[in-house]
Amino acid sequence: MAATFFLVFVLWVMFSRFGNIRLGPDSSRPEFGTTAWFAMLFTAGMGIGLVFYGVSEPVGYNANPAHPNEVTANTSASASEAMNSTLFHWLFHPWAIYIVLGLALGYFCFRKGLPMRPASALYPLIGNRIYGWIGNLVDVLAVFGTLFGLATSLGIGARQVNAGLTSLFGVPNVWWMQVIIVALITSVAVLSVMLGIDKGIRRLSVINLWLAVILMLLVFLFGPRLYILTGMADFTGFYLQHLPQTSLYVANPATDPNGFDFQQSWTLFYWGWWISWSPFVGMFIARISYGRTIRQFITGTLFAPVGASIVWFSVFGGAGLYYDNLKDAGIAEQPAELALFALLDQLPMPEIMAALLSVLTIVVVVLFFATSSDSGSLVVDMLTNGGDPHPIKLQRFFWAVTEGLVTIVLLMSAIGMQEGDADPLSTLQSASLVTGLPFAVVLIVICFGIVKALRSEDLRVMVPGTTPPTRGGESRVHVDPPGDVDRAKARSGSATGSAEEPGSSSSDSSDSGA
């Protein structure tokens, strides 16, 4: 119910009169181009999960329907139901969750001059108490949610890389190999985050996005093209037609035990995962969205990734459903981390081409791994640095390494230091669910804070040590336009000067900024 509330809320804000308000002063303009902006928010917001579950989730639901008494497995009906559940878990609801926190932080940080920290979103409700224990508690929850949410993604990414290396080169598929993979890819993330957003994260995200597009196009060209194209329309229509029913249905264990088990195993895990990711993704997309209007921010963040995800699942999930239902390929019988590689084996292409596609898949997973880790470490840096969007390099290094260590600890605790003792994914899922639950309450409260602030654009923001707000409602708090640390250091050392807009000269600065 909370996840559905967030979706309705962001749609209301998007179509409301508040849509023209900018995330920054009225004269601000976006810092990043549309392509780079989309690449960064998409790779940070979904990333590894799309590659890991793109094939395994639809074929898994298809072979094991949520309501086996009503739908026969491995049929066109089960395929529609399977894709509907998959799209429900990956499209509008998760991005709505991200937008709630991202909108609040972008508005209060860039327009009202508050620190880039989740507690700032509660300012309209609790005032200067955001600088006390209440605000610190919210930020601590955000740190833990980010660490464990990222660990879930990095853990499944390591499993998929290990599975791909095993199928290609015979590398052992064991826990210690996954630990080595986490360590190696964490080093790539460390390098990226040390270079900063513009030189590191942005470039890596754009490269990753294009490689993912190439992988998807090759699977489409060699796969069942007609089934994919017709399925893209059919599955999307089925999802949109049943969206209100799917969003509001809560299974009763007494009357629908199968649906109840399905929701507990999958839907609640996903909602907990997305909510635990919301501090990370919300802060990151806020950080890269300076200067955009609220309507641009919500439209781009909600509809562009959703459209890309529909195409992704239609290609990979649709191809998997085709080979399982019509060719009896048995992809659903494979472990989740091997499902994509099993699909590649079914494509009618030369063996060398299949091997190259598998290598490309591993590279895409590695880069998704790195872009999620470097973006997450930047967010945790800001959280533990009082909301400063320009954390020092030593702190960036520390948190990037810490994220890798948390993933390793969770993997090893699930394995019990022995192969086969437990499924690492279950421990990772539990960690994200437990940390996501309390933050769901925080997000609901933040929604009310956003409404209160937007309804009073002359909200008087008083940060300790600043002057009272002006008549126009914008406090005289110095708001730096976002940028890398090097560019921040290049500015004058004055703490009270006017903020310089991205792409403008100092002479163009004026008091119209925050």
Side-chain angles (χ1 to χ4, degrees):
M1 297 302 295
T4 301
F5 167 75
F6 297 141
L7 176 58
V8 174
F9 172 78
V10 299
L11 289 173
W12 171 77
V13 174
M14 182 181 71
F15 289 111
S16 72
R17 66 181 186 276
F18 309 122
N20 293 326
I21 298 173
R22 289 195 177 272
L23 302 182
D26 290 336
S27 59
S28 61
R29 291 298 180 267
E31 181 185 13
F32 299 101
T34 302
T35 301
W37 179 62
F38 172 73
M40 287 189 285
L41 70 89
F42 183 70
T43 53
M46 293 297 177
I48 295 172
L50 285 175
V51 184
F52 189 86
Y53 288 109
V55 177
S56 65
E57 189 170 348
V59 298
Y61 296 161
N62 176 62
N64 301 282
H67 299 90
N69 297 330
E70 302 174 8
V71 179
T72 303
N74 297 316
T75 61
S76 59
S78 65
S80 295
E81 291 285 354
M83 193 62 77
N84 178 58
S85 297
T86 302
L87 297 180
F88 176 58
H89 292 154
W90 288 87
L91 297 191
F92 287 119
H93 285 72
W95 285 101
I97 292 170
Y98 296 158
I99 288 171
V100 168
L101 191 58
L103 172 62
L105 293 176
Y107 176 82
F108 288 110
C109 177
F110 297 142
R111 191 167 182 87
K112 297 300 180 182
L114 291 170
M116 180 67 78
R117 45 185 294 226
S120 296
L122 302 178
Y123 188 91
L125 303 176
I126 64 175
N128 285 333
R129 285 193 292 274
I130 65 171
Y131 301 104
W133 70 268
I134 298 178
N136 293 335
L137 178 61
V138 171
D139 291 345
V140 168
L141 284 174
V143 169
F144 278 97
T146 299
L147 287 176
F148 287 115
L150 277 170
T152 303
S153 296
L154 304 187
I156 65 175
R159 294 184 68 192
Q160 190 165 34
V161 172
N162 195 177
L165 294 175
T166 300
S167 64
L168 286 175
F169 307 111
V171 174
N173 192 354
V174 292
W175 69 268
W176 55 264
M177 180 57 66
Q178 294 167 19
V179 170
I180 293 175
I181 291 171
V182 171
L184 292 176
I185 302 180
T186 298
S187 64
V188 177
V190 169
L191 177 62
S192 175
V193 78
M194 294 294 284
L195 290 173
I197 287 185
D198 190 59
K199 294 181 180 179
I201 298 175
R202 180 187 64 83
R203 292 178 180 176
L204 195 61
S205 298
V206 172
I207 293 172
N208 190 16
L209 182 64
W210 284 114
L211 290 178
V213 169
I214 292 172
L215 175 63
M216 182 178 65
L217 288 176
L218 290 174
V219 171
F220 171 75
L221 292 175
F222 287 99
R225 294 182 296 276
L226 182 60
Y227 186 92
I228 290 172
L229 291 174
T230 55
M232 190 179 301
D234 183 42
F235 296 143
T236 304
F238 192 93
Y239 163 72
L240 294 176
Q241 178 184 356
H242 293 82
L243 183 58
Q245 175 187 356
T246 310
S247 301
L248 298 174
Y249 179 70
V250 180
N252 188 315
T255 58
D256 187 9
N258 292 319
F260 178 78
D261 291 340
F262 177 84
Q263 286 191 332
Q264 283 215 324
S265 301
W266 288 101
T267 305
L268 289 183
F269 154 64
Y270 273 120
W271 291 173
W273 194 10
W274 303 138
I275 291 172
S276 69
W277 263 52
S278 63
F280 150 47
V281 181
M283 288 188 68
F284 183 74
I285 62 177
R287 171 63 184 79
I288 64 176
S289 300
Y290 173 85
R292 297 187 183 274
T293 66
I294 288 178
R295 186 168 292 114
Q296 289 173 342
F297 174 75
I298 296 178
T299 302
T301 308
L302 185 63
F303 291 100
V306 164
S309 298
I310 288 175
V311 176
W312 183 276
F313 279 109
S314 297
V315 172
F316 289 93
L321 292 171
Y322 171 84
Y323 285 110
D324 263 11
N325 288 353
L326 302 179
K327 302 296 183 180
D328 197 23
I331 298 176
E333 300 172 4
Q334 299 291 330
E337 60 267 25
L338 285 174
L340 177 53
F341 299 103
L343 169 64
L344 297 180
D345 290 338
Q346 295 295 322
L347 299 179
M349 63 175 63
E351 186 174 343
I352 183 65
M353 189 66 184
L356 291 175
L357 269 184
S358 297
V359 172
L360 178 59
T361 300
I362 294 173
V363 172
V364 169
V365 173
V366 169
L367 291 181
F368 270 131
F369 192 143
T371 52
S372 296
S373 181
D374 59 14
S375 306
S377 64
L378 180 66
V379 166
V380 177
D381 292 340
M382 292 188 287
L383 282 170
T384 55
N385 202 34
D388 183 358
H390 310 297
I392 61 175
K393 289 188 176 182
L394 181 60
Q395 188 169 316
R396 298 189 207 178
F397 175 83
F398 171 79
W399 283 112
V401 172
T402 300
E403 286 168 10
L405 293 177
V406 170
T407 304
I408 291 172
V409 169
L410 288 175
L411 282 171
M412 294 177 65
S413 66
I415 296 296
M417 298 298 292
Q418 295 181 9
E419 300 174 29
D421 276 3
D423 179 14
L425 191 57
S426 62
T427 297
L428 298 170
Q429 290 174 337
S430 299
S432 65
L433 184 59
V434 169
T435 55
L437 179 61
F439 208 78
V441 179
V442 175
L443 288 178
I444 293 174
V445 176
I446 286 175
C447 289
F448 290 98
I450 294 173
V451 173
K452 185 175 181 180
L454 292 178
R455 284 179 174 172
S456 178
E457 255 290 276
D458 61 345
L459 175 67
R460 295 178 176 271
V461 178
M462 281 298 294
V463 181
T466 63
T467 58
T470 62
R471 179 180 178 87
E474 292 178 350
S475 66
R476 293 190 180 275
V477 183
H478 177 66
V479 181
D480 288 333
D484 291 329
V485 177
D486 294 336
R487 185 169 55 180
K489 289 182 177 179
R491 295 193 307 267
S492 64
S494 174
T496 58
S498 60
E500 182 177 338
E501 298 300 328
S504 66
S505 64
S506 299
S507 61
D508 293 331
S509 299
S510 68
D511 285 338
S512 63

